[in-house]
Amino acid sequence: TNHTVEVSPSISCNYYSGNINIPATVTSGGTTYHVVSLGERAFYRATLSSVSIPSSVSQIKSRCFLFATGLTSITIPASVTEIGELVFAAYGMTSINVAADNPNFVSVGGILFNRDTTTVVECPMGKNGTITLPQSTRHIAADAFAYCQAITGVTIPDGLLFIGESA
């Protein structure tokens, strides 16, 4: 049997802090569990220096790093196939990086897109200045630019078809 587990929020919101190295597996009671998901609000309001996400993780749920502090960038491994909304709305985060061999996502200028850059998935909360979206962009996902208060302008391509709610 394949046993899996998810990183969940701690009982006290600020329990996780510092350099976080998420293991690919954990063992409890003699059973080994594969860490496959970072749960909703898992690092909510945490004070983080760095986070290392293992290649066992395939899903990062909504609001995982919501309002976390200290984390300026993060790298999404190739194994991640699903990313929820407002995952990277962390104070000071300026760059979302993606492993070059990730078949589902890519980073352009520190902003998260789907692999073919037709959809803006999320802009990190700490991004500032003006942003020019690639000509291939057709959709801006819901909440993609939520909380990005330091952005002074966004140049959108002529072919943009859809802007999601609260984007």
Side-chain angles (χ1 to χ4, degrees):
T1 3
N2 188 14
H3 300 283
T4 62
V5 68
E6 172 178 284
V7 176
S8 299
S10 65
I11 294 172
S12 73
C13 291
N14 290 316
Y15 182 76
Y16 299 118
S17 66
N19 297 312
I20 305 294
N21 185 13
I22 301 167
T25 60
V26 292
T27 302
S28 177
T31 302
T32 299
Y33 298 87
H34 297 274
V35 178
V36 297
S37 178
L38 302 184
E40 188 162 338
R41 296 180 187 253
F43 298 99
Y44 176 74
R45 293 195 181 272
T47 303
L48 305 168
S49 301
S50 68
V51 174
S52 175
I53 302 171
S55 60
S56 60
V57 171
S58 61
Q59 182 181 41
I60 304 175
K61 293 186 178 178
S62 296
R63 297 167 184 80
C64 184
F65 295 97
L66 185 66
F67 304 140
T69 59
L71 194 59
T72 58
S73 68
I74 196 159
T75 299
I76 299 167
S79 57
V80 173
T81 59
E82 295 178 47
I83 296 177
E85 292 179 356
L86 292 171
V87 169
F88 306 105
Y91 294 111
M93 185 175 291
T94 57
S95 184
I96 302 167
N97 304 306
V98 179
D101 55 344
N102 185 303
N104 301 291
F105 301 101
V106 66
S107 177
V108 177
I111 299 171
L112 183 64
F113 285 81
N114 67 337
R115 187 66 183 166
D116 61 4
T117 67
T118 58
T119 301
V120 179
V121 177
E122 188 167 352
C123 180
M125 188 174 170
K127 198 82 171 157
N128 60 31
T130 59
I131 293 170
T132 300
L133 298 178
Q135 286 298 314
S136 55
T137 306
R138 298 293 173 257
H139 300 90
I140 299 175
D143 297 312
F145 290 95
Y147 302 110
C148 295
Q149 298 174 351
I151 293 176
T152 55
V154 177
T155 302
I156 58 174
D158 292 336
L160 188 73
L161 301 172
F162 176 80
I163 298 175
E165 186 177 340
S166 300

